[in-house]
Every structure is written in C-alpha cells, then in structure tokens.
Amino acid sequence: MPATAPRGVGHLRGDEPFPAAARRALADAQLRRNLGHATTTIRAKSGAVIGELPDWEQLRAAGSAIKADVLARLPELLEQLEAAVTAAGGTVHWAADAVAANRIVTDLVAATGSDRVIKVKSMATQEIGLNEALAAAGITAVETDLAELIVQLGEDRPSHILVPAIHRNRAEIREIFLRAMPGVDPALTDEPAALAAAARRYLRQTFLTTPVAVSGANFAVAETGTLAVVESEGNGRMCLTLPETLITVMGIEKVVPTWRDLEVFLQLLPRASTGERMNPYTSMWTGVTPGDGPQAFHLVLLDNGRSAVLADEVGRQALHCIRCSACLNVCPVYQRTGGHAYGSVYPGPIGAVLSPQLTGVEDNASLPYASSLCGACYDACPVKINIPELLVHLRAEHVAAQRRPTAESVAMAAAAYAMDHPALYAAAQRAARLTRLAGRRGRGLPPPLSGWTIGRDLPEPPARSFRDWWARR
Ligand code: SF4
C-alpha cells in the first residue's frame, strides 16, 4: 500500500477533532455573518452563469470522464509530462511526500542566493507547509494573492479554498493592514478600493525586487508540458513572468492529457468557482523561452498520499477535484462552521473526504462525519464527485479500523439478531410501544445510545404494528 502523508509536517491534520473546533466556531456570531454573506453572494453569481449554459451537464460529465481517464493511466501521463517539460528546457523533480518537496524547493531557492520568494496562491504549498520550511532555512515567503496576504499578515490560517480570508470583513482587514503591512498609510479607510490600493503598493515593490517565485498549478498538459495557473487578480501573472527563477509545486493528479481536455476545465472552473464566464487571468507557460520570462523553471511533482488515495477504487474520485470550492459554498455545515474547524488546508465537503484519505482515515477520523449527507455538494460539483458516497465509505473504513464495539455497532448487531428471529422481533416491537405509553416522544434514548438522539427526535412507535394489523386480517 502506498504511503500516506507523513505526520509532523504540513497542514493536513488539525489540533483537535472537528466537533470540538466546530463548537467554538459556531459561538462566533461575526464569523457566521461573514460566512453567510460571502457564500450566499458567490452561490448566486455562480448559479446565474451556470444557468446560461445549455450543456452544463454534458460539460460536467466530460470533466468527470477526463479525470477518470487521467487516474487510470496516471504514471504514463506523468512520464509524458516530464519528457515534454524537460524538452522545453524545464527540470522535473519527483517528491514522494511533503518532506521531500520542502527540501527540493528550499535547496533550489538557496542555490539562487535569494533570501526571499514571491508566491502565487497555491493549495499544494500550504498542504506541505512550505512557508514554514523556507522560514526555517532563513528564506521569507511573501504571499501575493490579496486574500492570502491578509491571512499571512494576520498570522492567521486560510479558511476557504478560493477565498482564504472569507472569515474576515473589511474592518478587520483594515486593522490587519495597519498593524502588519510595511509602509501603510495610517489614514487607510476600510473601503475595498483603498484596501486593494494599499496591498498593490506594497506588492508592486516586492514583485520588482524578488528574483524567485513559487507557484502551484491548476493544470498541466501532458502532450506539450504546458503548466496553467488560473487566478483573478493578475498578481499571479506578475510572479510567473517577472522573476528569473520559477518553481512550481503540483499535485500529481493535476495533469490532463491534451489541450482539448484543458478546454473543458477552463469552462467548468470559473463558472463553478467565482461565478465568472471566463477566468480573468489564465497564465500558461511551457518550459523556458530565451529572453522572455523566467530563465530557469522547475516543476516539483508532489505525491504526499495521493498514490494511497489512487489505490482505493471508491476513494480515488476525490482526486478529480479542481478546487473550485462550489461544494463549500453550498454546504450547510461549512456555512456555519467555516474552514478552520476542519483542521486541514482542505476544508468543507472536499476536505472531509480528501484529508482523511491523504493522511489515513484515523488521523482525521472525525471529518467524514462533518456532513448531514444532504447531497448538495454532489449536485454542485463541476466534475461530479460523489462526496456523500465517499463520506459513507470513509465512515465504514473508520468503524472497521476501530476493531472495538461502539454503541452503534452493538445496537446494529442486536437489531440484526432480532430481525432474524420473528418471535423476538415481535416482542421488541411490543416493548417499543411501551415507550409510547410512557409518553417518551421527543426525548432521548438512555446511555450508551443517547448520542443517537442528541440531534434527533426519537420516532414515536405506531399504535399498531403491521404484524398486528396483518394477524387480525
Ligand atoms: S469537490 Fe467538486 S465542488 Fe468541491 S472543490 Fe472539488 S471540484 Fe469543486
């Protein structure tokens, strides 16, 4: 079995189980207001532009089929990608896990002599804890995506895949800038345009003076060795074009076979994520072009538990994810708790199925239960990942791994035995009716079964069972 992501490095595991973290988040009324406003706005925008496409369902099916094809022949496609990148003047590095990837990137930056890198927003580098690894080597990483910058200056953690500072409102952002942004005007207001201008002034100088950039990648085209980054601000493009050295860290599942395949995802992603018809800044590059852009390009292909996910026939569909965040915006659990409660850099429904698989389910055992199984995430997903099915699959895996009887497993075993013995089953039904006589409707079950009725009413047994009715006829 391939290795899962190692412990002690990166950000795939939280400090506490989801229920404890969620309880604290639920008590934060400001957080819930910020989340409610932001997710409702994005959802409405996305729904409107998706409604314009008569072939949205066919596009979803195509996206899903391409991803299934990629996973079925991943080794072959990655080798094709490596050959194409190398032929175009780039260098490909294979990183088995977060430790290896951090070491490769740190060594590459150190070899340039720079003590600072600029970064394009990237989930993969957050996953492996690259900023911390660089800091340990005396290298400062400057986030250039506006929301990531807010998170970094606030010494905070991202709470959404697409909008990492979704939990902050503009008054809080102004306060962070005044406190932590070098050279900021003390008269700064909380007008969005003023906040963006302050960030632009700070970042522009950094872009022009930093010789190394680190990025992630949304896609890589195997046939030509082309990398693609999609973003909304243009800051990413500054990082991808101005420095002398560009280092890209990419999860191995991000490869697509051809440009025709890429076209499908460039239609799906902006509509499902930011609710735009077309992505504002789509940057693509192939190796190195003399005299134009970075003159050294390194691609780090990251596994970090992905091969273990791939080995699970049911679970592997989590690797179809294109990180659009649509499942977060529709999830009733995420909308109330926000992303920090999930512990991992991957929050929401996709985090609840991806993180436990990357780490091994026992290291994130509470996450598959962080869902009502309402199915909204499945309906919203542009690549048709059946997240509810994965949640149930992982819950079963967790229960099997426990090896000790739980209250639920004991109750289920007793129910199975009773159903297998008609006389016992009839007696159990009569006993259940006693609870009706005792007027227990709406109350909870006694321990150890009380957990089942904390959030549910105990159904009232019918006055007459089907068996009684049948016997009398
Ligand atoms: S699981 Fe689907 S909806 Fe959620 S982020 Fe990934 S692609 Fe988007």
Side-chain angles (χ1 to χ4, degrees):
M1 186 65 187
T4 50
R7 292 181 182 148
V9 58
H11 301 288
L12 286 172
R13 297 166 175 87
D15 297 331
E16 56 187 345
F18 179 84
R23 199 166 292 126
R24 208 174 34 259
L26 286 171
D28 185 340
Q30 180 67 53
L31 173 72
R32 291 173 62 179
R33 265 195 300 278
N34 295 353
L35 284 169
H37 174 70
T39 54
T40 308
T41 306
I42 301 173
R43 243 187 7 242
K45 229 177 131 194
S46 174
V49 292
I50 285 173
E52 294 171 354
L53 286 191
D55 62 345
W56 179 251
E57 286 307 316
Q58 287 92 325
L59 271 172
R60 288 179 80 208
S64 176
I66 293 167
K67 285 290 182 179
D69 171 51
V70 165
L71 296 185
R73 53 196 185 99
L74 191 56
E76 163 200 330
L77 290 172
L78 289 172
E79 285 177 8
Q80 188 185 1
L81 175 69
E82 179 185 34
V85 170
T86 307
T91 307
V92 177
H93 309 258
W94 298 78
D97 57 26
V99 176
N102 285 336
R103 190 182 57 241
I104 291 167
V105 177
T106 305
D107 289 350
L108 288 171
V109 178
T112 68
S114 177
D115 61 0
R116 187 170 65 183
V117 300
I118 43 176
K119 283 189 69 203
V120 186
K121 179 179 175 325
S122 146
M123 299 300 296
T125 58
Q126 287 169 21
E127 174 189 322
I128 62 176
L130 179 64
N131 287 10
E132 292 86 339
L134 289 171
I139 299 163
T140 305
V142 181
E143 296 288 352
T144 66
D145 175 87
L146 179 54
E148 287 288 356
L149 180 65
I150 294 165
V151 168
Q152 187 178 41
L153 292 176
E155 297 178 6
D156 199 355
R157 288 180 297 128
S159 65
H160 189 276
I161 291 176
L162 200 69
V163 198
I166 196 169
H167 55 291
R168 298 289 193 190
N169 62 24
R170 59 197 214 188
E172 292 172 303
I173 294 167
R174 171 180 174 270
E175 188 272 321
I176 291 170
F177 280 11
L178 287 175
R179 179 163 40 86
M181 183 178 279
V184 74
D185 180 357
L188 180 70
T189 69
D190 67 3
E191 282 304 308
L195 295 171
R200 191 176 297 121
R201 269 192 299 277
Y202 166 64
L203 287 174
R204 187 57 58 103
Q205 192 54 29
T206 314
F207 287 134
L208 293 172
T209 54
T210 309
V212 186
V214 175
S215 84
N218 292 93
F219 306 99
V221 183
E223 66 176 351
T224 57
T226 304
L227 278 293
V229 163
V230 297
E231 39 112 19
S232 299
E233 298 169 359
N235 292 346
R237 181 164 293 177
M238 294 277 202
C239 296
L240 297 167
T241 52
L242 287 175
E244 290 150 24
T245 300
L246 172 60
I247 303 165
T248 299
V249 181
M250 184 189 92
I252 51 176
E253 80 280 19
K254 295 298 173 80
V255 64
V256 296
T258 67
W259 278 77
R260 290 285 302 271
D261 301 314
L262 180 62
E263 180 232 332
V264 171
F265 296 110
L266 291 183
Q267 292 180 73
L268 287 169
L269 185 53
R271 288 180 194 256
S273 58
T274 48
E276 283 156 318
R277 295 184 181 90
M278 198 178 154
N279 190 65
Y281 290 89
T282 303
S283 300
M284 298 180 190
W285 69 100
T286 307
V288 171
T289 304
D292 183 12
Q295 295 302 291
F297 170 56
H298 297 271
L299 173 62
V300 182
L301 294 173
L302 175 71
D303 188 315
N304 207 36
R306 286 162 176 77
S307 292
V309 184
L310 186 62
D312 183 332
E313 276 181 31
V314 179
R316 71 173 60 142
Q317 57 178 311
L319 296 177
H320 291 193
C321 179
I322 55 173
R323 311 279 190 266
C324 73
S325 74
C327 57
L328 279 63
N329 300 331
V330 298
C331 176
V333 176
Y334 176 86
Q335 281 171 43
R336 284 158 183 81
T337 64
H340 292 161
Y342 292 79
S344 161
V345 291
Y346 300 112
I350 183 59
V353 295
L354 185 58
S355 307
Q357 293 196 83
L358 290 173
T359 61
V361 76
E362 289 314 292
D363 278 15
N364 269 308
S366 63
L367 289 185
Y369 298 90
S371 168
S372 63
L373 299 181
C374 70
C377 47
Y378 185 23
D379 293 341
C381 179
V383 286
K384 297 179 82 164
I385 299 174
N386 191 338
I387 294 177
E389 179 187 47
L390 290 186
L391 290 164
V392 173
H393 173 68
L394 293 171
R395 289 178 190 186
E397 207 173 289
H398 168 58
V399 170
Q402 289 296 295
R403 289 176 188 274
R404 60 180 165 79
T406 60
E408 187 179 357
S409 69
V410 169
M412 289 300 162
Y417 184 81
M419 286 178 193
D420 216 23
H421 297 78
L424 189 59
Y425 185 65
Q429 282 188 318
R430 280 196 295 279
R433 282 206 298 282
L434 290 178
T435 63
R436 178 188 167 88
L437 294 176
R440 292 181 57 84
R441 184 182 182 189
R443 298 201 200 150
L445 286 165
L449 302 174
S450 49
W452 180 254
T453 49
I454 283 175
R456 305 171 177 83
D457 284 345
L458 187 62
E460 185 180 8
R464 188 166 58 155
S465 72
F466 175 78
R467 280 166 174 276
D468 291 344
W469 175 83
W470 183 259
R472 285 196 188 138
R473 285 175 73 92

